[in-house]
């Protein structure tokens, strides 16, 4: 006996996720009502929350700007470190 997998449209998935997110209902309840597995709906909700973080739990803009500045500085320092390693190897060869 082979069972075919059910395919859901993106619109269906979005509607199901909105029932959980906006309706403040548990995933299990919505999954039972729509006759889908809880794990599938859970994955869809998780993906939605990753793509649309809650503004209340997101870091404030000043913190986000600080993190971005620090990440840029880390990238710059890593590039400088790589350059210095190459230069040190070059001068070490030259002295031999």
């Amino acid at each position: 006996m082979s069972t075919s997998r059910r395919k859901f449209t993106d619109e269906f998935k979005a509607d199901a996720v909105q029932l959980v997110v906006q309706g403040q209902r548990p995933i299990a309840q919505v999954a039972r009502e729509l006759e889908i597995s809880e794990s599938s709906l859970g994955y869809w909700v998780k993906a939605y929350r990753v793509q649309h973080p809650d503004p209340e739990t997101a870091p404030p803009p000043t913190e986000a700007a600080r993190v971005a500045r620090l990440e840029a500085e880390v990238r710059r320092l890593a590039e400088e470190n790589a350059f210095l390693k190459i230069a040190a190897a070059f001068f070490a060869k030259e002295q031999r």
Side-chain angles (χ1 to χ4, degrees), residues 13-87:
K13 292 177 185 179
D15 290 342
V17 167
Q18 290 307 311
L19 289 173
V20 173
V21 174
Q22 292 180 352
Q24 299 297 322
R25 297 189 324 202
I27 291 174
Q29 179 184 359
V30 174
R32 276 192 306 273
E33 291 172 5
L34 297 176
E35 298 179 354
I36 58 175
S37 71
E38 291 178 31
S39 61
S40 293
L41 183 56
Y43 286 123
W44 301 342
V45 170
K46 181 179 178 182
Y48 174 84
R49 289 184 173 149
V50 166
Q51 292 175 351
H52 305 89
D54 186 11
E56 293 175 5
T57 60
T62 55
E63 185 69 18
R66 180 177 167 268
V67 168
R69 182 180 51 80
L70 291 173
E71 287 174 347
E73 185 177 353
V74 166
R75 278 191 303 276
R76 182 184 60 79
L77 291 172
E79 290 172 1
E80 287 179 9
N81 193 20
F83 174 78
L84 290 173
K85 284 181 182 180
I86 293 170

